[in-house]
Amino acid sequence: MSIKVAINGFGTIGKRVADAVDAQDDMEIVGVTKTGPSFGCGLAEKKGFPLYCTFDDADRISSFAESGYECQGGLSDLLAIADVVIDCAPGKMGADNLAKYKAAGIKHIFQGGEKHALTGQSYTSSANHADNLGVDGARVVSCNTTGLSRTLVPLYEHCGSLKVECTMIRRAADPGDSKKGPINAIAPVLKVPSHHGPDVMTVKPEIEINSLAVAVPTTIMHVHAIVADLPDGHGLTTESVLEMWRNTPRVIIMSGAGDRITTTAEVMEMARDIGRKWGDLHEIFVWEDGVKLNGNRLYYFQAIHQESDVIPENVDCIRAMMNTEADWRASVAKTDAAISAYYGL
Ligand code: NAD
């Protein structure tokens, strides 16, 4: 039986999650919402995703037809025909939407712009898939937290303990966003430590982690500079850490010097070559020559494509919540193979 998925908020994340769900053979998109007529409605129609209004009031619903788009109804109509809703609204709108999902009695997945406390349950595929089996609500953590989890969880699982300090060098805005900055400054996050590192503990509480963050004038990726202290007797070398990550799903290791990928610009150019829509890079990118283990202290850099690393995680989270795949590695393999086939890769 196919899992019926609704997408509430068809923006940067919503349109990507919709494609990733559409790629799978065990789930289908039954509708996506827009707040009103805009170019995103055209994309939904082109994809054949039924279009609904984010709200239930008649005036808003009829405004779609006035602009030439076919709207099937309001959010309540969509929630009534779905098994699970993926909330892709802008951050901090979760509380209002959660009340609607609870009233409709539907399972719900929020994104990283919401706090852990909203659902009391957070998710990344590699860290805590099993904890989310059958739950009614969860939050797929942010792009940064997802990126930290991808490389830190396998390290933690090898070592049994881990203390981490990291600096998040964050993109100022998404490429399609004209409202945010800075455009000519470096803006430190003056809430110290920043929320990014500690957010990892919502999916892997055993990892002791803190972070600082700065926003810089770029739109294409975040970079993390990470220092991890491993326990005595860890038995690892720089090369074996790299080998561990090479065997970790959704992590790419490439060399700055050898592959001539020395900045995020080349990383994103390489991502466009892969051929996923929007030039997405679902994997976390680690520079091989930026990794060094000195005694118990591991240093590394990684780059995060903020708009897309969380996309396949939403698919895995659906399977966890619907209790259709208990093994996270099996879900990840299924999700990623289906996405590759969808784009003919
Ligand atoms: P976005 O602004 O690109 O898209 C949000 C969409 O939701 C828009 O189409 C908007 O019209 C619609 N919307 C507005 N009000 C709504 C409501 N009340 N209910 C439902 N939809 C509504 O935002 P985004 O970047 O896609 O972010 C969505 C979520 O994903 C946020 O929690 C964000 O923090 C998180 N996230 C974003 C990124 C990123 O880089 N963009 C990465 C990871 C996680």
Side-chain angles (χ1 to χ4, degrees):
M1 198 195 70
S2 187
I3 302 165
K4 294 183 169 39
V5 181
I7 306 283
N8 191 22
F10 194 62
T12 308
I13 298 297
K15 66 185 178 186
R16 287 171 164 84
V17 174
D19 259 27
V21 167
D22 193 42
Q24 312 299 316
D25 65 9
D26 55 343
M27 52 189 79
E28 63 184 300
I29 294 292
V30 292
V32 304
T33 75
K34 292 295 289 179
T35 52
S38 70
F39 68 93
C41 301
L43 175 64
E45 285 193 346
K46 191 169 141 204
K47 295 289 308 183
F49 299 147
L51 181 63
Y52 288 79
C53 179
T54 311
F55 307 99
D56 283 336
D57 40 310
D59 286 354
R60 280 189 183 247
I61 294 172
S62 61
S63 71
F64 286 84
E66 287 156 21
S67 297
Y69 298 113
E70 195 181 328
C71 179
Q72 309 293 326
L75 178 66
S76 302
D77 300 312
L78 175 57
L79 297 182
I81 58 164
D83 299 315
V84 55
V85 58
I86 317 292
D87 186 290
C88 301
K92 322 255 181 309
M93 295 194 166
D96 281 355
N97 285 351
L98 179 60
K100 295 175 190 171
Y101 306 151
K102 284 195 166 164
I106 188 172
K107 289 189 185 250
H108 39 273
I109 297 176
F110 287 93
Q111 306 304 311
E114 304 300 334
K115 292 212 158 68
H116 173 76
L118 184 69
T119 56
Q121 196 72 33
S122 291
Y123 179 90
T124 68
S125 308
S126 66
N128 68 343
H129 184 86
D131 297 341
N132 284 276
L133 293 176
V135 301
D136 286 334
R139 172 190 71 132
V140 168
V141 293
S142 73
C143 49
N144 281 309
T145 307
T146 298
L148 289 169
S149 299
R150 290 256 180 92
T151 49
L152 290 174
V153 168
L155 262 182
Y156 168 79
E157 282 174 354
H158 175 91
C159 294
S161 71
L162 207 54
K163 285 190 182 168
V164 183
E165 299 289 342
C166 51
T167 301
M168 332 297 295
I169 301 151
R170 296 173 47 225
R171 62 87 178 94
D174 286 338
D177 187 351
S178 58
K179 296 194 186 77
K180 292 183 189 162
I183 58 168
N184 184 27
I186 297 173
V189 173
L190 297 176
K191 182 182 170 294
V192 177
S194 75
H195 71 275
H196 307 89
D199 202 35
V200 172
M201 292 191 273
T202 64
V203 291
K204 203 61 165 173
E206 300 89 342
I207 297 177
E208 294 177 53
I209 175 165
N210 272 309
S211 59
L212 296 172
V214 295
V216 297
T218 180
T219 62
I220 53 178
M221 293 192 101
H222 305 301
V223 167
H224 298 166
I226 300 172
V227 180
D229 285 325
L230 318 187
D232 289 340
H234 54 75
L236 291 168
T237 61
T238 302
E239 193 40 54
S240 67
V241 170
L242 284 164
E243 200 49 32
M244 176 188 293
W245 287 332
R246 282 191 190 98
N247 294 323
T248 299
R250 298 180 187 156
V251 175
I252 288 184
I253 312 283
M254 291 181 83
S255 157
D259 294 306
R260 296 196 194 173
I261 299 187
T262 53
T263 75
T264 52
E266 288 96 13
V267 175
M268 287 317 296
E269 188 61 18
M270 183 273 296
R272 286 190 281 272
D273 291 346
I274 291 176
R276 292 191 192 111
K277 204 158 152 186
W278 300 288
D280 284 353
L281 186 65
H282 296 165
E283 296 82 0
I284 304 310
F285 184 96
V286 179
W287 279 275
E288 183 179 341
D289 26 4
V291 179
K292 181 80 181 169
L293 184 59
N294 262 350
N296 285 358
R297 182 160 281 188
L298 177 70
Y299 300 88
Y300 66 105
F301 291 108
Q302 61 181 18
I304 312 295
H305 186 224
Q306 75 277 355
E307 295 164 288
S308 74
D309 69 333
V310 299
I311 302 307
E313 308 269 329
N314 275 273
V315 174
D316 301 327
C317 187
I318 293 170
R319 288 200 190 99
M321 288 176 70
M322 299 303 294
N323 223 337
T324 57
E325 179 52 77
D327 176 352
W328 75 269
R329 282 184 183 272
S331 180
V332 164
K334 183 174 172 60
T335 301
D336 294 356
I339 291 171
S340 289
Y342 192 69
Y343 293 128
L345 307 176

